Amino acid sequence: EVQLVESGGGLVQPGRSLRLSCAASGFTLDDYAMHWVRQAPGKGLEWVSGISWNSGSIGYADSVKGRFTISRDNAKNSLYLQMNSLRAEDTALYYCAKDGGYSAYGPFTDWGQGTLVTVSS
Amino acid sequence: SSELTQDPAVSVALGQTVRITCQGDSLRSYYASWYQQKPGQAPVLVIYGKNNRPSGIPDRFSGSSSGNTASLTITGAQAEDEADYYCNSRDSSGNHLVFGGGAKLTVL
């Protein structure tokens, strides 16, 4: 059974940094691309970033490009999202999602339960 | 603003058929995938590719596409199908992914 467990969320002041982690189990991580998707309170889904199986292809939404960095450690079965220069509009539930293949073009076949990031002074 | 457009609210009588649509230029080149999200839960993939259902998704869910419009059809809607539905595909550049704004389905 695929399991994705996010961690690292919390309350952070504007301009500060936070690092999210996603622990993957139940499948071979290095066979699949992975993504971060977020959902602001009461709002829709927003794709944040995706990374191919070998980190050779990485993409970011325009809203986070230059501030967020996605990475993965296949040996540790883990996905990460380094978030810098956080803004109030980054407040959201952040989901880790498994891609259906090795490139990062979707679909998102499995999702974690999310970790909440709140940016506020 | 999203490059994929969905009607924000859709309703269907119990047992009837409903179509939820998603419009965008990129859909002329790429298939959409569809996700169901119930309150307080993570999204669940229901349709991907031309018309593929993941294991465990009832066959009353189907997908289709024509021109710049992708559609999710629920044939014989059940009370448990009441949820938010999101489409997803690549954007017009082909390099990024984008979601539609979501459609809230009410089963009457």
Side-chain angles (χ1 to χ4, degrees):
Chain A
E1 178 193 4
V2 172
Q3 282 201 321
L4 300 168
V5 180
E6 302 92 338
S7 61
L11 175 63
V12 62
Q13 293 179 328
R16 302 298 291 266
S17 299
L18 209 57
R19 188 193 196 207
L20 305 183
S21 299
C22 171
S25 61
F27 67 103
T28 303
L29 183 64
D30 50 9
D31 282 346
Y32 296 94
M34 297 292 293
H35 302 266
W36 289 99
V37 176
R38 69 185 181 183
Q39 187 168 34
K43 302 297 184 181
L45 301 173
E46 179 187 16
W47 176 78
V48 173
S49 182
I51 184 169
S52 64
W53 69 281
N54 64 351
S55 305
S57 178
I58 288 175
Y60 299 96
D62 289 343
S63 58
V64 306
K65 195 169 187 178
R67 300 188 297 123
F68 289 11
T69 302
I70 192 172
S71 62
R72 63 191 293 162
D73 186 334
N74 290 339
K76 294 184 177 180
N77 293 313
S78 293
L79 175 73
Y80 306 101
L81 186 67
Q82 177 67 42
M83 304 186 295
N84 298 331
S85 303
L86 282 161
R87 306 167 180 168
E89 54 265 35
D90 295 319
T91 294
L93 185 64
Y94 283 73
Y95 292 104
C96 167
K98 173 181 166 289
D99 198 288
Y102 55 85
S103 63
Y105 292 124
F108 311 112
T109 58
D110 300 89
W111 300 65
Q113 288 303 305
T115 186
L116 182 62
V117 173
T118 303
V119 184
S120 175
S121 55
Chain B
S1 62
S2 175
E3 293 190 27
L4 298 178
T5 302
Q6 297 182 247
D7 291 331
V10 183
S11 63
V12 61
L14 184 67
Q16 296 303 301
T17 297
V18 62
R19 178 181 293 179
I20 300 170
T21 61
C22 175
Q23 289 188 305
D25 286 343
S26 65
L27 298 179
R28 297 183 186 277
S29 304
Y30 305 109
Y31 288 119
S33 53
W34 290 91
Y35 303 85
Q36 176 193 70
Q37 187 180 34
K38 296 180 180 180
Q41 297 183 19
V44 173
L45 176 67
V46 295
I47 290 290
Y48 66 99
K50 189 174 183 180
N51 180 20
N52 301 301
R53 280 177 291 107
S55 174
I57 301 302
D59 60 6
R60 64 178 179 271
F61 290 88
S62 63
S64 61
S65 185
S66 178
N68 72 337
T69 301
S71 300
L72 172 70
T73 300
I74 307 174
T75 303
Q78 302 298 302
E80 60 264 32
D81 299 334
E82 188 163 286
D84 293 327
Y85 290 86
Y86 295 91
C87 62
N88 162 255
S89 187
R90 300 195 206 187
D91 68 2
S92 51
S93 75
N95 296 320
H96 299 106
L97 297 172
V98 64
F99 284 94
K104 181 176 181 60
L105 176 66
T106 299
V107 179
L108 304 172

